Amino acid sequence: METQDFLPGPWHAASLRVRYQESDQMGVVYHSNYLNWFEIGRTEMLRGLGFSYLEMENRGLLLPVTSAELQFKRSAKYDDMIAVYARMSSFTPLRLTFEYEVRRVSGPELTGAGLYGSDAAVPHNNNGVSFASGFQASAAGELLVTGSTGHAWVNRELKPVRLDRALPEVYGAIVTALRTEKRTI
């Protein structure tokens, strides 16, 4: 099986405010909500690369979670502004792994961290290559949670498929985006 070895790519940032329904009576976010936020992070990252889950699903390709890991450092609380940072850490025609950081952000971190459509805080990598909108070299804010999720490419019958064979144009576009636009492969 061909693997795509690469340095972890730039972070993609998605921001949100912690809602009341996501916290307990003490105002602390319930642990399972972080997995929902990871999904927001990876969905917006793929969108930033030019793909949407909906488009892939409409073409018969699904990307279920096969593993999840979270490490809790600090608690997010009701009404906090947080940023969910996501990036790919491995990619093959059969599998994909994402890394995440959830951070509490405020003030300058909101406007300078690639959030709300602003330019990235670090708009280029060490080679001077610019990142696409929403991507950045480093994550800003107070670290709350780190984690990762593993995924497998499957068809509608939930049978594993090779992305390079099932949708070669999507596979090629992801490889191209990671290799040329982000300089990570």
Side-chain angles (χ1 to χ4, degrees):
M1 173 176 61
E2 175 188 348
T3 62
Q4 295 298 326
D5 296 321
F6 60 94
L7 299 172
W11 292 104
H12 185 273
S15 63
L16 58 100
R17 183 175 300 277
V18 175
R19 298 169 296 185
Y20 187 76
Q21 70 189 36
E22 295 167 321
S23 62
D24 61 19
Q25 191 173 16
M26 297 176 293
V28 175
V29 170
Y30 186 70
H31 66 276
S32 66
N33 288 297
Y34 293 96
L35 290 169
N36 291 327
W37 297 345
F38 286 4
E39 181 179 4
I40 291 168
R42 74 176 167 269
T43 298
E44 293 307 316
M45 182 196 170
L46 288 173
R47 190 180 316 280
L49 289 172
F51 311 100
S52 76
Y53 267 117
L54 182 60
E55 291 169 12
M56 288 191 290
E57 288 179 354
N58 286 341
R59 297 179 72 188
L61 188 67
L62 306 173
L63 193 59
V65 175
T66 58
S67 64
E69 183 176 330
L70 295 87
Q71 298 84 40
F72 299 94
K73 313 294 184 189
R74 292 191 168 17
S75 296
K77 298 191 175 170
Y78 169 63
D79 209 38
D80 281 349
M81 283 302 302
I82 62 163
V84 180
Y85 292 91
R87 66 182 176 185
M88 287 186 202
S89 58
S90 70
F91 173 68
T92 73
L94 293 170
R95 299 184 189 282
L96 178 62
T97 304
F98 291 92
E99 294 180 334
Y100 308 92
E101 289 187 2
V102 176
R103 292 176 174 263
R104 188 178 354 261
V105 292
S106 62
E109 294 162 344
L110 285 172
T111 58
L115 306 176
Y116 299 117
S118 65
D119 291 333
V122 182
H124 55 79
N125 66 14
N126 293 333
N127 298 325
V129 176
S130 294
F131 295 139
S133 177
F135 287 87
Q136 59 198 71
S138 60
E142 178 187 6
L143 182 62
L144 304 176
V145 173
T146 61
S148 64
T149 56
H151 304 264
W153 301 104
V154 299
N155 61 21
R156 290 190 194 281
E157 291 77 40
L158 303 180
K159 302 291 184 195
V161 297
R162 289 181 57 100
L163 181 62
D164 57 342
R165 294 181 186 155
L167 292 174
E169 65 281 4
V170 172
Y171 175 80
I174 291 174
V175 169
T176 298
L178 292 171
R179 183 177 289 143
T180 60
E181 294 177 22
K182 313 300 178 275
R183 302 285 187 214
T184 58
I185 293 182

